[in-house]
Amino acid sequence: MVFMNMGGPSKTDEVHDFLSRLFADGDLIPLGRLQSYLGPLIARRRTPKIQKQYAEIGGGSPIRKWSEYQCAEMCKILDQTNPETAPHKPYVAFRYADPLTEEMYQRLFDDGFGQGRGGRAVAFTQYPQYSCSTTGSSLNELWKWRTRLEGKKGTGEVDPAGSIKWSVIDRWPVHHGLVEAFAQNIQTQLATYPPEKRDNVVLLFSAHSLPMSVVNRGDPYPAEVGATVYAVMQRLNFSNPYRLCWQSQVGPSAWLGAQTSDTVEGYIKKGQTDMVLVPIAFTSDHIETLFELDQEVIGEANQPGMKRAESLNGNPTFINALAELAQGHLESRQACSKQMLLRCPGCVNAKCLESKKFFAGQENLL
């Protein structure tokens, strides 16, 4: 069971390498023909500032700790609920930080998978809402390394005997366990407000933004994030007013808005100072929650009624949801969702086409 995410530097001296990989990825931050020049330049200039931010949240990102914990706990549950596919082994593959996809693949080899020995692996995205720039980029990277290590580039054969059989859990924006975990954390935070104020607290759901160039080519992410928000509000019986906003814009190009910081500032100017931020597209804490939301948005607002719902982290409801998702996927014998195979109408990425064809073709082997 391979948890896939963007990752984050565990120590401040890993920040430059993390940023270099991030800004080199045209799926996430499209810089056009100058990507190979601008990416390293931006990474080098931003490194000192970002190092300071990581220092202020404890010296590194906790995303690896939480990802490894969540995956290991999920596998323990799966060993009980799905003995026919046990034992289930936990792995983590990050796109921009250790353990990288190629490191994860080597671990699979070291543990007896592939290289003529076969085995089954599930790529389980930890982005609940699909985007070509996040899950899509991680799957393109997985397909690249599979091709190099076990496919045509590595062996001369497209599907050599005894290679690892892959399937993908590619999105799960409205899974009831995910919705329930978010709702519980929101209710816990709302309970800290006086009863006479509680129903008027504004819930601000905050998700990582996307460049409008990605949105306009037809990326499904904004719609799927909106679906998660609506499902959570349904579970809460629409107890509070709410808005969806977007954070973490980088660079001068147009990004999906309204930005979270601008939204908070705008409501405070209107006299609305009781708000709960809900990180709706993240499955654990990292710099976007611990620094950007907690220190920048909430800290600069300087309002006692400005709070944040806890991240999912080790929430047992959430971990049970992960196990339920994995169990259903293993029993379905599907390689991926039909939705994953539908390319964006404006997609011109050849890697995207080839990786989708590869994962679709795995269904005949499961």
Side-chain angles (χ1 to χ4, degrees):
M1 306 303 297
V2 181
F3 273 20
M4 308 191 82
N5 210 326
M6 72 185 301
S10 297
K11 299 179 291 185
T12 55
D13 60 8
E14 297 174 2
V15 168
H16 179 261
D17 288 346
F18 169 74
L19 292 178
S20 295
R21 297 183 189 109
L22 188 146
F23 284 105
D25 183 9
D27 291 335
L28 179 68
I29 301 176
L31 299 173
R33 290 177 296 174
L34 296 177
Q35 189 97 34
S36 60
Y37 169 75
L38 290 176
L41 180 65
I42 296 170
R44 192 162 56 248
R45 287 185 173 179
R46 287 181 62 85
T47 292
K49 174 184 176 182
I50 303 303
Q51 283 178 324
K52 289 179 182 177
Q53 293 179 1
Y54 277 105
E56 291 189 33
I57 63 168
S61 172
I63 191 171
R64 180 172 184 171
K65 176 192 77 172
W66 284 121
S67 297
E68 290 176 341
Y69 175 80
Q70 291 164 343
C71 195
E73 291 301 301
M74 179 195 73
C75 285
K76 291 176 186 177
I77 297 172
L78 285 175
D79 285 346
Q80 300 298 317
T81 59
N82 277 52
E84 65 276 10
T85 51
H88 302 85
K89 293 182 68 68
Y91 299 85
V92 170
F94 286 151
R95 185 66 180 85
Y96 312 113
D98 295 333
L100 295 165
T101 305
E102 58 267 39
E103 297 170 31
M104 174 277 299
Y105 224 113
Q106 187 58 54
R107 278 194 60 207
L108 289 174
F109 290 160
D110 294 344
D111 289 346
F113 293 89
Q115 293 185 316
R117 298 165 295 187
R120 169 88 188 272
V122 177
F124 192 164
T125 180
Q126 292 306 293
Y127 307 101
Q129 306 92 1
Y130 185 95
S131 172
C132 301
S133 62
T134 54
T135 298
S137 178
S138 289
L139 292 175
N140 288 347
E141 187 76 356
L142 174 59
W143 165 76
K144 180 184 82 174
W145 283 103
R146 192 270 178 191
T147 301
R148 289 184 182 181
L149 299 174
E150 286 200 291
K152 195 166 185 178
K153 288 186 178 179
T155 67
E157 298 179 63
V158 175
D159 278 311
S163 59
I164 297 168
K165 296 186 287 288
W166 284 95
S167 64
V168 183
I169 302 174
D170 52 84
R171 71 197 72 212
W172 33 289
V174 293
H175 185 271
H176 69 90
L178 175 71
V179 170
E180 181 63 28
F182 276 130
Q184 289 176 1
N185 285 354
I186 291 169
Q187 288 176 319
T188 298
Q189 190 60 274
L190 285 173
T192 66
Y193 291 86
E196 65 274 12
K197 289 187 172 185
R198 194 169 300 153
D199 291 346
N200 293 316
V201 174
V202 172
L203 304 179
L204 290 182
F205 294 90
S206 185
H208 202 295
S209 187
L210 280 182
M212 286 306 297
S213 60
V214 176
V215 174
N216 289 337
R217 74 175 178 232
D219 195 280
Y221 175 76
E224 294 193 8
V225 174
T228 308
V229 170
Y230 195 83
V232 171
M233 290 310 304
Q234 263 189 324
R235 160 62 181 79
L236 295 172
N237 294 316
F238 298 96
S239 60
N240 292 72
Y242 68 99
R243 279 292 185 275
L244 169 58
C245 45
W246 309 88
Q247 64 180 90
S248 310
Q249 175 176 327
V250 179
S253 62
W255 282 59
L256 183 63
Q259 288 289 303
T260 302
S261 56
D262 294 340
T263 302
V264 169
E265 183 181 343
Y267 278 130
I268 290 174
K269 286 180 180 178
K270 288 177 169 59
Q272 177 67 48
T273 58
D274 291 333
M275 291 175 269
V276 172
L277 288 169
V278 184
I280 197 65
F282 306 119
T283 55
S284 71
D285 274 321
H286 42 79
I287 196 165
E288 284 86 352
T289 59
L290 298 175
F291 184 83
E292 188 175 349
L293 293 183
D294 290 353
Q295 297 194 31
E296 288 190 327
V297 177
I298 295 176
E300 292 174 12
N302 195 29
Q303 297 289 336
M306 189 80 223
K307 304 179 183 183
R308 176 171 72 85
E310 186 180 354
S311 297
L312 297 175
N313 294 338
N315 185 315
T317 300
F318 175 63
I319 291 170
N320 282 322
L322 295 172
E324 188 176 314
L325 277 157
Q327 180 182 12
H329 176 76
L330 290 168
E331 292 173 352
S332 75
R333 306 193 72 81
Q334 288 185 326
C336 59
S337 72
K338 288 185 179 180
Q339 183 74 341
M340 188 186 119
L341 302 179
L342 182 66
R343 296 173 73 196
C344 295
C347 179
V348 294
N349 188 341
K351 291 185 298 181
C352 179
L353 173 62
E354 293 304 316
S355 70
K356 288 181 187 297
K357 285 165 60 177
F358 165 73
F359 289 112
Q362 292 286 286
E363 192 151 319
N364 298 325
L365 307 176
L366 299 178

